[in-house]
Amino acid sequence: MNKQLAMVIDSSLCIDCKACTLACKIENNVPDGYWRNWVKRSEPDFTNPEWMNHRTPLHFQPGGCMHCEAPTCVQACPTGATYKDDAKDGAIKVDPKLCIGCGSCIPACPYGARYKHPTKNIVDKCDYCEKRRERGELPACVITCPTKARVFGDINDPNSDAALLLKKNQSIRITNKESDTKPNMYYLSATAPLNWPVKAKMPDAIQLWKLVGPLIWGVVGLNALGVLVMLGKQLLITDKEPDTDISRKETRRS
Amino acid sequence: MTQTLIHRHTRLSIFMHWFNAGCWIFLLLTGLGLIRNDDLQPFPFWPTMLRTVFGGGGNLLLAHELIGITWAGGFLLYGIIRLKSDVFPFIRDIFTVDIRRDFLWLITKGIQMTLGYKLLGVVAEKFDFNPKIPDQGFYNIGQKIFAIPAVFGGMVIAASGIVMILSQTGNADTEWVQWAIVIHFITVGLVFAGLLIHVFMASIAAGEKPAFISMFTGTVPEDYARHHHKLWLDEFKKS
């Protein structure tokens, strides 16, 4: 079975220290004003009397690119610069040499996990710290987390920490009802907030392309067919031009 | 049997023609290889194969961009140094239309190309018009109908390509770039559809061999010129 890297998160362990977001920013040189990962928080519910009984009404939820199984970002990319690397590790990656920064994938992500890098001019996002992994190290956010809320590994390997944690516990995936991208980020149940992913939006230009694409291929095909018909006619039927003078005489009308 | 040869193309315009053809073939094939998306690419084997040949999508993109810039730059340079001698006359020529004559040419030539001379005679008899295909100038109206979208299409293709390159230097808004990509694809598709007819008419169609040869030698036999471009030949003889 192919490798499928995933993150299994016990958000109840998260204390909102945001060490993961800083570690990521430093490791990956993420520019000012942009983030590759995040910690979201639930809205405290003060109408619930429980909050007075020393129980925190807040829940923190670490996240990042969910490296989805059915990635809408990949569907939005015209060139395959954004792709799911199934041959290697199942992660969603950006080929920095092929990406021209058209940004089609950015609104196509329901999680807001992508941004256009202001100096590299290509789209940037979490790659599970590929360079660290090549050295045999864990992603920066995972290794930094003091409470070990983020657990990372190949969920298709039954002995990995992530697979074991997933097997032992009930888990959920956070999705938008209208665009379920089958994220590879699993939260051990009772996480919050849940309603924040937005509907994936294909850019208008890409939508138009998907619509008129077959039409353009059709026009090219029809012309090719026309050429073949003319060629066939030329090869099969002898068609000599009548002497113009005679044809003129014949059609001369009074 | 020797024939008088009439000068039709300058050496530079012959060079530009084949420069254009070479660039087009390269750019069309590499451009097709840059489209890799389940919903947009009807021939998924092509991008896979080409990326293997070029050693990755990044190299493929770079090659497409370098040849694309060479193509656009080459035409810009040609346009500048031959503005008065080639560009203006060409533009004037392709936009000069004799509605009656050219309309009749389209009808008669169209019937002849598809049904043949015999049936053209029959149809002409029935609908009461002269089946003789009207005389044409340096370009016939069919060529003009393709030349106009080819010229403007070429400009749109170059401009949208430039927007995509500007995206990589951070000088183009993402929404512009997205539209540029789609417009690039649509324009190339439509011009290519016309190009198929151009290639057939110029290199395969019966009786067009002298035109094909003239794209190497620059000259056409007088008989050919009289038959295909009589108005131009008359003009040529006057001057």
Side-chain angles (χ1 to χ4, degrees):
Chain A
M1 200 183 242
N2 278 347
K3 219 172 165 181
Q4 179 57 63
L5 295 180
M7 219 173 261
V8 182
I9 296 177
D10 184 352
S11 56
S12 67
L13 294 174
C14 180
I15 55 171
D16 197 26
C17 72
K18 295 199 168 68
C20 52
T21 58
L22 286 174
C24 170
K25 226 172 151 75
I26 294 161
E27 176 68 34
N28 298 300
N29 263 320
V30 178
D32 267 5
Y34 301 94
W35 304 88
R36 278 188 178 190
N37 63 3
W38 55 77
V39 177
K40 297 201 182 283
R41 58 170 67 188
S42 63
E43 287 293 320
D45 179 12
F46 292 111
T47 58
N48 183 348
E50 275 287 299
W51 78 273
M52 286 194 289
N53 304 334
H54 306 289
R55 291 190 55 173
T56 169
L58 279 177
H59 191 96
F60 306 111
Q61 183 189 70
C65 170
M66 311 237 165
H67 297 272
C68 305
E69 208 56 46
T72 34
C73 54
V74 172
Q75 287 170 27
C77 177
T79 64
T82 267
Y83 62 105
K84 188 170 190 299
D85 197 352
D86 278 325
K88 203 170 165 195
D89 51 21
I92 306 289
K93 296 176 185 174
V94 177
D95 180 342
K97 282 184 171 168
L98 184 55
C99 177
I100 62 164
C102 77
S104 299
C105 57
I106 296 172
C109 172
Y111 304 101
R114 295 169 166 264
Y115 67 95
K116 184 164 177 178
H117 196 291
T119 54
K120 290 182 186 164
N121 302 311
I122 57 172
V123 167
D124 190 55
K125 63 176 272 297
C126 161
D127 61 354
Y128 284 147
C129 288
E130 191 157 24
K131 281 190 186 133
R132 290 178 59 87
R133 288 190 287 119
E134 279 165 7
R135 299 194 298 261
E137 297 170 49
L138 282 168
C141 59
V142 175
I143 201 76
T144 310
C145 181
T147 61
K148 298 291 163 246
R150 291 175 183 261
V151 175
F152 172 77
D154 174 14
I155 49 166
N156 285 345
D157 168 10
N159 297 317
S160 74
D161 291 349
L164 289 171
L165 194 62
L166 204 56
K167 205 181 163 192
K168 263 188 246 159
N169 298 277
Q170 274 205 321
S171 64
I172 58 156
R173 305 201 263 197
I174 301 173
T175 54
N176 179 287
K177 265 184 204 144
E178 283 175 281
S179 16
D180 181 2
T181 54
K182 310 238 173 321
N184 272 306
M185 188 166 283
Y186 297 86
Y187 290 90
L188 301 189
S189 47
T191 190
L194 292 171
N195 58 352
W196 59 271
V198 297
K199 191 183 168 202
K201 189 190 178 312
M202 286 291 148
D204 293 341
I206 301 293
Q207 278 191 49
L208 180 85
W209 188 349
K210 293 188 180 190
L211 211 68
V212 301
L215 215 69
I216 301 294
W217 289 108
V219 171
V220 172
L222 273 178
N223 275 21
L225 192 70
V227 164
L228 284 178
V229 168
M230 285 192 287
L231 181 66
K233 181 216 140 211
Q234 185 175 316
L235 292 176
L236 299 173
I237 304 162
T238 31
D239 182 32
K240 280 210 103 178
E241 184 179 5
D243 191 295
T244 32
D245 289 338
I246 293 168
S247 76
R248 241 178 232 156
K249 253 180 239 160
E250 277 175 348
T251 53
R252 187 173 295 155
R253 285 171 286 267
S254 52
Chain B
M1 196 173 78
T2 48
Q3 269 229 51
T4 319
L5 294 174
I6 311 285
H7 171 79
R8 186 165 163 86
H9 304 294
T10 63
R11 282 165 90 172
L12 184 62
S13 61
I14 293 171
F15 171 78
M16 287 312 290
H17 175 265
W18 293 111
F19 167 76
N20 188 31
C23 289
W24 253 90
I25 292 169
F26 183 86
L27 292 167
L28 191 72
L29 295 178
T30 50
L32 192 60
L34 283 169
I35 307 169
R36 183 187 235 166
N37 180 307
D38 290 346
D39 300 330
L40 304 174
Q41 176 57 274
F43 309 109
F45 76 94
W46 186 253
T48 309
M49 196 181 87
L50 226 56
R51 283 159 208 230
T52 315
V53 171
F54 279 78
N59 289 343
L60 180 65
L61 174 68
L62 189 66
H64 185 81
E65 288 176 334
L66 288 176
I67 300 297
I69 291 168
T70 309
W71 172 74
F75 268 97
L76 188 67
L77 199 68
Y78 170 72
I80 291 169
I81 61 173
R82 288 284 188 270
L83 193 65
K84 271 195 179 151
S85 61
D86 290 14
V87 178
F88 285 157
F90 175 72
I91 298 290
R92 194 176 51 233
D93 204 16
I94 63 173
F95 277 102
T96 308
V97 174
D98 179 335
I99 292 176
R100 237 188 89 84
R101 173 193 296 277
D102 292 343
F103 181 72
L104 198 63
W105 186 92
L106 282 175
I107 300 287
T108 49
K109 188 71 188 167
I111 296 171
Q112 178 259 314
M113 288 289 295
T114 48
L115 302 175
Y117 283 110
K118 228 184 242 167
L119 285 170
L120 170 60
V122 175
V123 175
E125 187 87 358
K126 182 144 186 164
F127 291 94
D128 195 29
F129 63 86
N130 189 341
K132 184 188 176 291
I133 296 166
D135 294 334
Q136 294 282 294
F138 190 88
Y139 294 117
N140 64 50
I141 186 66
Q143 288 174 304
K144 289 176 188 177
I145 284 174
F146 176 56
I148 294 165
V151 167
F152 287 97
M155 287 176 183
V156 171
I157 291 163
S160 52
I162 289 165
V163 171
M164 286 185 256
I165 286 170
L166 287 178
S167 172
Q168 290 157 279
T169 61
N171 295 301
D173 189 68
T174 52
E175 206 163 329
W176 278 69
V177 183
Q178 289 157 18
W179 282 110
I181 299 172
V182 179
I183 289 167
H184 202 72
F185 168 79
I186 293 174
T187 317
V188 169
L190 293 178
V191 175
F192 177 62
L195 209 50
L196 287 171
I197 310 284
H198 170 73
V199 170
F200 174 79
M201 296 293 293
S203 59
I204 303 165
E208 298 290 344
K209 207 170 177 187
F212 183 66
I213 291 168
S214 81
M215 277 331 289
F216 297 96
T217 61
T219 55
V220 288
E222 192 173 339
D223 276 359
Y224 170 86
R226 187 174 300 110
H227 190 93
H228 291 260
H229 305 281
K230 188 169 183 299
L231 303 179
W232 164 64
L233 184 70
D234 295 348
E235 199 72 17
F236 184 86
K237 290 211 152 167
K238 256 192 270 167
S239 61

